[in-house]
Amino acid sequence: MSRDVCTARGTVDSSALGRTLMHEHIFTLTPDVQQNHDEWQEEERIADAVRRLSELKAAGYDTIVDPTVIGLGRYVPRIVRVADQVDINIVVATGVYTYDEVPFFFQLRGPGLRPDLPEPMVDMFVRDLIEGIPGCGGVRAAFLKCAIDERGMTRGVERVLRAVAQAHRRTGAPITLHTHPGTKRGLDAHRVLSEEGVDPTRVVLGHSGDSTDADHLSQLADLGYILGMDRFGIDAILSFEDRVATVAEMIRRGYAGRMVLSHDASCYFDWLDPSFHGAAANWHYLHIENDVLPALRRRGVTEDQIDQMLVENPRRYFETVDAY
């Protein structure tokens, strides 16, 4: 059954999401550096984002899902300005991104101050999902985002993950989780999510495509998780050939219905020295269309299977959201 999906321009029917890239950022920033440095040029960056997203729309894509949350330079009013100038849906998130401790803002609030106090992150996330994001004219987040990386289930990571799970239980909003498949962190997350009563079918395990371990990925898919094969273009972590081969192998095993595709790219990403971008020529929004899909077709992947990963699975992810 179709549902309204919140975007940076208001709601759209889930049937209108079309081809969807499920893990793309527009801006990934360090705000307190940018506010005290001369690198950031607001109007230039917004115009560049509009150009890049317009190119993506012209290539046949209708939606990007942007999991930029606290810890990644989230500022949704800027995203609304971009969305107002492009004919593409931008679905925004709420949550917190950390590999270790919670941001200082939360360290002495709620259970960080005293174990019996309620978790303020939960109410913050629920507000973004139900009432709207402050300063955005009623724009609401449509999903939750957090992270677990190589460092594992630290105290801070677990606190955020449980807050995300509790906000999910209160709102029905789905979850996207940054993971580190090389250390099988998806299984660590599964333990906590299970304790919090989260249905795995409501969760994308991001960056699953960083691994060639098809047996491990099959284990996660069999638990019900959606696998984010979402770092195409980051060849320094895993080669193009290996990423394509892994997706093709998972499809051969019958998991086309459990994967989504993306790049984890940004129009502007200030965590990297500008000189790095020359070594990441494929890390952009059009790499899947221009290079990945042709390579998958050469390996026997059908158009129906491609549509399942780019259209049907993203639509189902948002359609299963309980009414707020």
Side-chain angles (χ1 to χ4, degrees):
M1 182 179 68
S2 65
R3 293 188 183 274
D4 285 343
V5 179
C6 299
T7 80
R9 278 195 314 232
T11 59
V12 299
D13 191 270
S14 55
S15 64
L17 291 174
R19 280 204 164 186
T20 301
L21 297 178
M22 280 288 287
H23 194 120
E24 307 290 356
H25 303 274
I26 298 179
F27 304 118
T28 306
L29 301 171
T30 313
D32 48 354
V33 173
Q34 295 297 347
Q35 291 163 8
N36 294 278
H37 187 48
D38 61 3
E39 184 174 277
W40 180 256
Q41 302 294 325
E42 178 86 0
E43 299 307 317
E44 176 184 333
R45 298 301 176 195
I46 288 176
D48 180 62
V50 169
R51 177 184 63 80
R52 291 171 186 260
L53 290 169
S54 296
E55 290 173 350
L56 181 62
K57 176 67 176 182
Y61 291 76
D62 303 292
T63 302
I64 69 165
V65 178
D66 182 349
T68 306
V69 293
I70 294 167
L72 292 168
R74 180 190 197 237
Y75 184 58
V76 178
R78 182 182 291 124
I79 303 307
V80 171
R81 286 192 62 196
V82 173
D84 286 343
Q85 300 178 61
V86 294
D87 184 22
I88 198 166
N89 304 309
I90 303 172
V91 182
V92 301
T94 187
V96 169
Y97 183 93
T98 180
Y99 296 169
D100 196 346
E101 296 299 325
V102 297
F104 284 120
F105 178 87
F106 298 107
Q107 287 193 11
L108 294 178
R109 295 174 186 249
L113 181 63
R114 206 174 67 223
D116 61 317
L117 292 177
E119 176 57 74
M121 283 185 274
V122 176
D123 285 341
M124 181 182 291
F125 301 159
V126 170
R127 177 207 63 199
D128 286 353
L129 292 160
I130 302 297
E131 300 174 16
I133 300 161
C136 294
V139 168
R140 292 186 288 154
F143 68 110
L144 293 140
K145 161 72 178 297
C146 58
I148 180 171
D149 203 79
E150 189 171 5
R151 299 174 201 175
M153 193 65 70
T154 67
R155 183 173 60 181
V157 165
E158 182 171 355
R159 183 177 163 191
V160 175
L161 183 56
R162 290 191 185 278
V164 161
Q166 290 161 26
H168 159 81
R169 291 293 305 277
R170 282 174 55 180
T171 64
I175 298 168
T176 287
L177 178 61
H178 165 114
T179 65
H180 188 270
T183 48
K184 300 185 178 180
R185 294 307 182 203
L187 295 176
D188 296 333
H190 175 65
R191 174 184 61 80
V192 173
L193 293 173
S194 297
E195 291 171 0
E196 294 289 343
V198 175
D199 178 353
T201 65
R202 312 298 311 286
V203 181
V204 170
L205 296 182
H207 314 328
S208 294
D210 284 352
S211 174
T212 60
D213 186 348
D215 289 341
H216 172 58
L217 298 180
S218 298
Q219 179 185 14
L220 296 172
D222 287 340
L223 288 169
Y225 290 102
I226 304 167
L227 305 178
M229 315 304 277
D230 53 23
R231 276 183 159 176
F232 280 103
I234 310 183
D235 300 334
I237 295 177
L238 193 68
S239 72
F240 171 82
E241 292 78 11
D242 283 343
R243 291 183 186 279
V244 170
T246 302
V247 172
E249 171 61 18
M250 294 299 291
I251 290 173
R252 188 193 68 78
R253 294 185 181 205
Y255 294 110
R258 302 242 60 85
M259 290 188 290
V260 293
L261 305 179
S262 213
H263 308 91
D264 195 17
S266 302
C267 298
Y268 191 74
F269 183 32
D270 77 0
W271 294 11
L272 295 174
D273 187 281
S275 65
F276 176 83
H277 295 290
N282 290 327
W283 197 21
H284 57 79
Y285 298 152
L286 295 174
H287 179 46
I288 285 174
E289 178 64 23
N290 293 345
D291 306 304
V292 175
L293 298 187
L296 287 172
R297 293 182 184 111
R298 289 193 294 271
R299 288 179 173 268
V301 175
T302 69
E303 296 304 315
D304 284 347
Q305 289 166 333
I306 288 170
D307 284 345
Q308 194 164 17
M309 294 184 290
L310 287 173
V311 180
E312 297 303 320
N313 297 343
R315 177 180 57 77
R316 189 174 68 247
Y317 173 79
F318 287 109
E319 283 184 351
T320 54
V321 176
D322 299 332
Y324 298 163

